[in-house]
CSV table of all heavy atoms in Angstrom, one decimal:
chain,number,residue,atom,x,y,z
V,23,TRP,N,-17.6,-15.5,-7.6
V,23,TRP,CA,-16.6,-15.8,-6.6
V,23,TRP,C,-15.3,-15.9,-7.3
V,23,TRP,O,-15.2,-16.6,-8.3
V,23,TRP,CB,-17.0,-17.1,-5.9
V,23,TRP,CG,-16.0,-17.5,-4.8
V,23,TRP,CD1,-14.9,-18.3,-5.0
V,23,TRP,CD2,-16.2,-17.3,-3.4
V,23,TRP,NE1,-14.2,-18.5,-3.9
V,23,TRP,CE2,-15.0,-18.0,-2.8
V,23,TRP,CE3,-17.1,-16.7,-2.7
V,23,TRP,CZ2,-14.7,-17.9,-1.5
V,23,TRP,CZ3,-16.8,-16.7,-1.3
V,23,TRP,CH2,-15.7,-17.3,-0.7
V,24,ASN,N,-14.3,-15.2,-6.8
V,24,ASN,CA,-13.0,-15.2,-7.4
V,24,ASN,C,-11.9,-15.5,-6.3
V,24,ASN,O,-11.9,-15.0,-5.2
V,24,ASN,CB,-12.7,-13.8,-8.0
V,24,ASN,CG,-14.0,-13.2,-8.8
V,24,ASN,OD1,-14.0,-13.5,-10.0
V,24,ASN,ND2,-14.9,-12.6,-8.0
V,83,MET,N,-20.0,-9.7,-5.7
V,83,MET,CA,-18.7,-10.1,-5.9
V,83,MET,C,-18.0,-10.5,-4.6
V,83,MET,O,-18.2,-9.8,-3.6
V,83,MET,CB,-17.8,-9.0,-6.6
V,83,MET,CG,-18.4,-8.6,-8.0
V,83,MET,SD,-17.5,-7.1,-8.5
V,83,MET,CE,-18.5,-5.9,-7.7
V,84,VAL,N,-17.2,-11.5,-4.7
V,84,VAL,CA,-16.3,-11.9,-3.6
V,84,VAL,C,-15.0,-12.3,-4.2
V,84,VAL,O,-14.8,-13.0,-5.1
V,84,VAL,CB,-16.9,-13.2,-2.8
V,84,VAL,CG1,-15.9,-13.4,-1.6
V,84,VAL,CG2,-18.3,-12.9,-2.3
V,85,ILE,N,-13.9,-11.7,-3.6
V,85,ILE,CA,-12.5,-12.0,-4.0
V,85,ILE,C,-11.9,-12.6,-2.7
V,85,ILE,O,-11.8,-12.0,-1.6
V,85,ILE,CB,-11.7,-10.8,-4.4
V,85,ILE,CG1,-12.4,-10.2,-5.7
V,85,ILE,CG2,-10.3,-11.1,-4.8
V,85,ILE,CD1,-11.8,-8.9,-6.1
V,86,GLU,N,-11.5,-13.9,-2.8
V,86,GLU,CA,-10.9,-14.5,-1.6
V,86,GLU,C,-9.4,-14.8,-1.8
V,86,GLU,O,-9.0,-15.2,-2.9
V,86,GLU,CB,-11.6,-16.0,-1.5
V,86,GLU,CG,-11.1,-16.7,-0.3
V,86,GLU,CD,-9.8,-17.6,-0.5
V,86,GLU,OE1,-9.7,-18.1,-1.7
V,86,GLU,OE2,-9.1,-17.8,0.5
V,87,ASN,N,-8.6,-14.4,-0.8
V,87,ASN,CA,-7.2,-14.6,-0.8
V,87,ASN,C,-6.6,-14.7,0.6
V,87,ASN,O,-7.1,-13.9,1.4
V,87,ASN,CB,-6.5,-13.5,-1.5
V,87,ASN,CG,-5.0,-13.8,-2.1
V,87,ASN,OD1,-4.1,-13.7,-1.5
V,87,ASN,ND2,-5.2,-14.5,-3.3
V,88,PRO,N,-5.9,-15.8,0.9
V,88,PRO,CA,-5.4,-15.9,2.2
V,88,PRO,C,-4.7,-14.7,2.8
V,88,PRO,O,-4.0,-13.9,2.0
V,88,PRO,CB,-4.4,-17.2,2.1
V,88,PRO,CG,-5.0,-17.9,1.0
V,88,PRO,CD,-5.4,-16.9,0.0
V,89,VAL,N,-4.8,-14.4,4.1
V,89,VAL,CA,-4.1,-13.3,4.7
V,89,VAL,C,-2.7,-13.3,4.4
V,89,VAL,O,-2.0,-14.4,4.7
V,89,VAL,CB,-4.4,-13.2,6.2
V,89,VAL,CG1,-3.5,-12.1,6.8
V,89,VAL,CG2,-5.9,-13.0,6.5
V,101,PHE,N,-9.8,-2.9,-5.3
V,101,PHE,CA,-11.0,-3.6,-4.9
V,101,PHE,C,-12.0,-2.7,-4.3
V,101,PHE,O,-13.1,-2.8,-4.4
V,101,PHE,CB,-10.6,-4.7,-3.9
V,101,PHE,CG,-9.7,-5.8,-4.4
V,101,PHE,CD1,-8.9,-6.5,-3.5
V,101,PHE,CD2,-9.5,-6.1,-5.7
V,101,PHE,CE1,-8.0,-7.5,-4.0
V,101,PHE,CE2,-8.8,-7.1,-6.2
V,101,PHE,CZ,-8.0,-7.8,-5.4
V,107,LEU,N,-15.6,-2.7,-2.9
V,107,LEU,CA,-15.6,-3.8,-2.0
V,107,LEU,C,-15.1,-3.5,-0.7
V,107,LEU,O,-14.3,-2.7,-0.4
V,107,LEU,CB,-14.8,-5.0,-2.6
V,107,LEU,CG,-15.1,-5.5,-4.0
V,107,LEU,CD1,-14.3,-6.6,-4.4
V,107,LEU,CD2,-16.6,-5.7,-4.2
V,108,THR,N,-15.6,-4.3,0.3
V,108,THR,CA,-15.2,-4.2,1.8
V,108,THR,C,-14.3,-5.4,2.1
V,108,THR,O,-14.7,-6.5,1.7
V,108,THR,CB,-16.4,-4.1,2.7
V,108,THR,OG1,-17.2,-3.0,2.3
V,108,THR,CG2,-16.0,-4.1,4.2
V,109,ARG,N,-13.2,-5.3,2.8
V,109,ARG,CA,-12.4,-6.4,3.2
V,109,ARG,C,-12.9,-7.0,4.5
V,109,ARG,O,-13.1,-6.3,5.5
V,109,ARG,CB,-10.9,-5.9,3.3
V,109,ARG,CG,-10.0,-7.2,3.4
V,109,ARG,CD,-8.6,-6.6,3.6
V,109,ARG,NE,-8.3,-6.1,5.0
V,109,ARG,CZ,-7.4,-5.2,5.2
V,109,ARG,NH1,-6.5,-4.8,4.3
V,109,ARG,NH2,-7.2,-4.8,6.4
V,110,LEU,N,-13.0,-8.3,4.5
V,110,LEU,CA,-13.4,-9.1,5.7
V,110,LEU,C,-12.4,-10.2,6.0
V,110,LEU,O,-11.6,-10.5,5.1
V,110,LEU,CB,-14.8,-9.7,5.6
V,110,LEU,CG,-16.0,-8.9,5.1
V,110,LEU,CD1,-17.2,-9.8,4.7
V,110,LEU,CD2,-16.3,-7.8,6.2
V,111,LYS,N,-12.3,-10.6,7.3
V,111,LYS,CA,-11.4,-11.6,7.7
V,111,LYS,C,-12.1,-12.7,8.4
V,111,LYS,O,-12.8,-12.5,9.3
V,111,LYS,CB,-10.2,-11.0,8.5
V,111,LYS,CG,-9.2,-12.0,8.9
V,111,LYS,CD,-8.2,-11.3,9.8
V,111,LYS,CE,-7.1,-12.2,10.4
V,111,LYS,NZ,-6.2,-11.5,11.2
V,112,ILE,N,-11.8,-14.0,7.9
V,112,ILE,CA,-12.4,-15.2,8.6
V,112,ILE,C,-11.3,-16.1,8.7
V,112,ILE,O,-10.3,-16.1,8.1
V,112,ILE,CB,-13.6,-15.7,7.9
V,112,ILE,CG1,-13.2,-16.1,6.4
V,112,ILE,CG2,-14.8,-14.7,7.7
V,112,ILE,CD1,-14.3,-16.8,5.6
V,117,PHE,N,-14.8,-22.9,11.5
V,117,PHE,CA,-15.8,-23.7,10.8
V,117,PHE,C,-15.5,-25.2,11.0
V,117,PHE,O,-16.0,-26.0,10.2
V,117,PHE,CB,-15.8,-23.4,9.2
V,117,PHE,CG,-16.2,-21.9,8.9
V,117,PHE,CD1,-15.2,-21.0,8.8
V,117,PHE,CD2,-17.4,-21.6,8.8
V,117,PHE,CE1,-15.4,-19.7,8.5
V,117,PHE,CE2,-17.8,-20.2,8.5
V,117,PHE,CZ,-16.8,-19.3,8.4
V,129,THR,N,-8.2,-16.0,6.1
V,129,THR,CA,-8.4,-15.6,4.8
V,129,THR,C,-9.2,-14.4,4.7
V,129,THR,O,-9.9,-14.0,5.6
V,129,THR,CB,-9.0,-16.7,3.9
V,129,THR,OG1,-8.8,-16.4,2.6
V,129,THR,CG2,-10.5,-16.9,4.2
V,130,HIS,N,-8.8,-13.6,3.7
V,130,HIS,CA,-9.6,-12.2,3.5
V,130,HIS,C,-10.7,-12.5,2.3
V,130,HIS,O,-10.4,-13.2,1.4
V,130,HIS,CB,-8.6,-11.2,3.0
V,130,HIS,CG,-7.9,-10.5,4.0
V,130,HIS,ND1,-6.6,-10.2,3.9
V,130,HIS,CD2,-8.3,-10.1,5.3
V,130,HIS,CE1,-6.2,-9.6,5.0
V,130,HIS,NE2,-7.2,-9.6,6.0
V,131,LEU,N,-11.8,-11.8,2.7
V,131,LEU,CA,-12.9,-11.8,1.6
V,131,LEU,C,-13.1,-10.3,1.3
V,131,LEU,O,-13.5,-9.6,2.2
V,131,LEU,CB,-14.1,-12.5,2.1
V,131,LEU,CG,-14.1,-13.9,2.5
V,131,LEU,CD1,-15.5,-14.3,3.1
V,131,LEU,CD2,-13.7,-14.8,1.5
V,132,TRP,N,-12.8,-10.0,0.1
V,132,TRP,CA,-13.3,-8.6,-0.3
V,132,TRP,C,-14.6,-8.7,-1.1
V,132,TRP,O,-14.7,-9.5,-2.0
V,132,TRP,CB,-12.2,-8.0,-1.3
V,132,TRP,CG,-10.9,-7.4,-0.8
V,132,TRP,CD1,-10.7,-6.2,-0.4
V,132,TRP,CD2,-9.7,-8.2,-0.5
V,132,TRP,NE1,-9.4,-6.1,0.1
V,132,TRP,CE2,-8.9,-7.3,0.1
V,132,TRP,CE3,-9.3,-9.6,-0.7
V,132,TRP,CZ2,-7.5,-7.7,0.4
V,132,TRP,CZ3,-8.1,-9.9,-0.4
V,132,TRP,CH2,-7.2,-9.0,0.2
V,133,THR,N,-15.7,-8.1,-0.6
V,133,THR,CA,-16.9,-8.3,-1.1
V,133,THR,C,-17.9,-7.0,-1.0
V,133,THR,O,-17.6,-6.2,-0.2
V,133,THR,CB,-17.6,-9.4,-0.4
V,133,THR,OG1,-18.9,-9.7,-0.9
V,133,THR,CG2,-17.8,-9.1,1.2
V,134,ASN,N,-18.9,-7.1,-1.8
V,134,ASN,CA,-19.9,-6.0,-1.8
V,134,ASN,C,-21.3,-6.7,-1.2
V,134,ASN,O,-22.3,-6.0,-1.2
V,134,ASN,CB,-20.1,-5.3,-3.1
V,134,ASN,CG,-20.6,-6.3,-4.2
V,134,ASN,OD1,-20.5,-7.5,-4.0
V,134,ASN,ND2,-21.2,-5.8,-5.2
V,138,LEU,N,-22.9,-10.8,3.8
V,138,LEU,CA,-21.5,-11.2,4.3
V,138,LEU,C,-20.9,-10.2,5.2
V,138,LEU,O,-20.3,-10.5,6.2
V,138,LEU,CB,-20.7,-11.6,3.2
V,138,LEU,CG,-21.0,-12.9,2.3
V,138,LEU,CD1,-20.0,-13.2,1.3
V,138,LEU,CD2,-21.3,-14.1,3.2
V,139,ILE,N,-21.0,-8.9,4.8
V,139,ILE,CA,-20.5,-7.9,5.6
V,139,ILE,C,-21.1,-7.8,7.0
V,139,ILE,O,-20.5,-7.6,8.0
V,139,ILE,CB,-20.6,-6.5,4.9
V,139,ILE,CG1,-19.7,-6.5,3.5
V,139,ILE,CG2,-20.3,-5.3,5.8
V,139,ILE,CD1,-20.0,-5.3,2.7
V,142,PHE,N,-19.9,-11.3,8.9
V,142,PHE,CA,-18.5,-11.4,9.2
V,142,PHE,C,-17.8,-10.1,9.7
V,142,PHE,O,-16.7,-10.1,10.1
V,142,PHE,CB,-17.7,-11.9,7.9
V,142,PHE,CG,-18.2,-13.3,7.4
V,142,PHE,CD1,-18.1,-13.6,6.1
V,142,PHE,CD2,-18.7,-14.2,8.3
V,142,PHE,CE1,-18.5,-14.9,5.6
V,142,PHE,CE2,-19.1,-15.4,8.0
V,142,PHE,CZ,-19.0,-15.8,6.6
V,178,TYR,N,-11.7,-25.3,1.2
V,178,TYR,CA,-12.6,-24.5,2.0
V,178,TYR,C,-13.4,-25.5,2.9
V,178,TYR,O,-13.8,-26.5,2.5
V,178,TYR,CB,-13.6,-23.8,1.1
V,178,TYR,CG,-13.1,-22.8,0.1
V,178,TYR,CD1,-13.6,-22.6,-1.1
V,178,TYR,CD2,-12.1,-21.9,0.6
V,178,TYR,CE1,-13.1,-21.7,-1.9
V,178,TYR,CE2,-11.6,-20.9,-0.3
V,178,TYR,CZ,-12.1,-20.8,-1.6
V,178,TYR,OH,-11.6,-19.8,-2.4
V,182,MET,N,-18.2,-23.4,6.0
V,182,MET,CA,-18.0,-22.2,5.4
V,182,MET,C,-18.6,-22.0,4.0
V,182,MET,O,-19.3,-21.0,3.8
V,182,MET,CB,-16.5,-22.0,5.2
V,182,MET,CG,-16.0,-20.8,4.5
V,182,MET,SD,-14.3,-20.6,4.2
V,182,MET,CE,-14.2,-19.6,2.8
V,186,ILE,N,-21.7,-19.4,3.3
V,186,ILE,CA,-21.5,-18.4,2.3
V,186,ILE,C,-22.4,-18.5,1.0
V,186,ILE,O,-23.0,-17.5,0.5
V,186,ILE,CB,-20.1,-18.3,1.9
V,186,ILE,CG1,-19.3,-17.7,3.1
V,186,ILE,CG2,-19.8,-17.3,0.7
V,186,ILE,CD1,-17.7,-17.7,2.8
Side-chain angles (χ1 to χ4, degrees):
W23 177 277
N24 313 270
M83 297 168 281
V84 182
I85 299 174
E86 183 273 330
N87 204 264
V89 173
F101 297 158
L107 307 184
T108 297
R109 190 182 74 200
L110 307 172
K111 181 180 175 182
I112 59 176
F117 299 93
T129 196
H130 279 139
L131 303 178
W132 283 269
T133 185
N134 62 343
L138 292 187
I139 292 172
F142 298 151
Y178 296 141
M182 168 184 154
I186 291 178

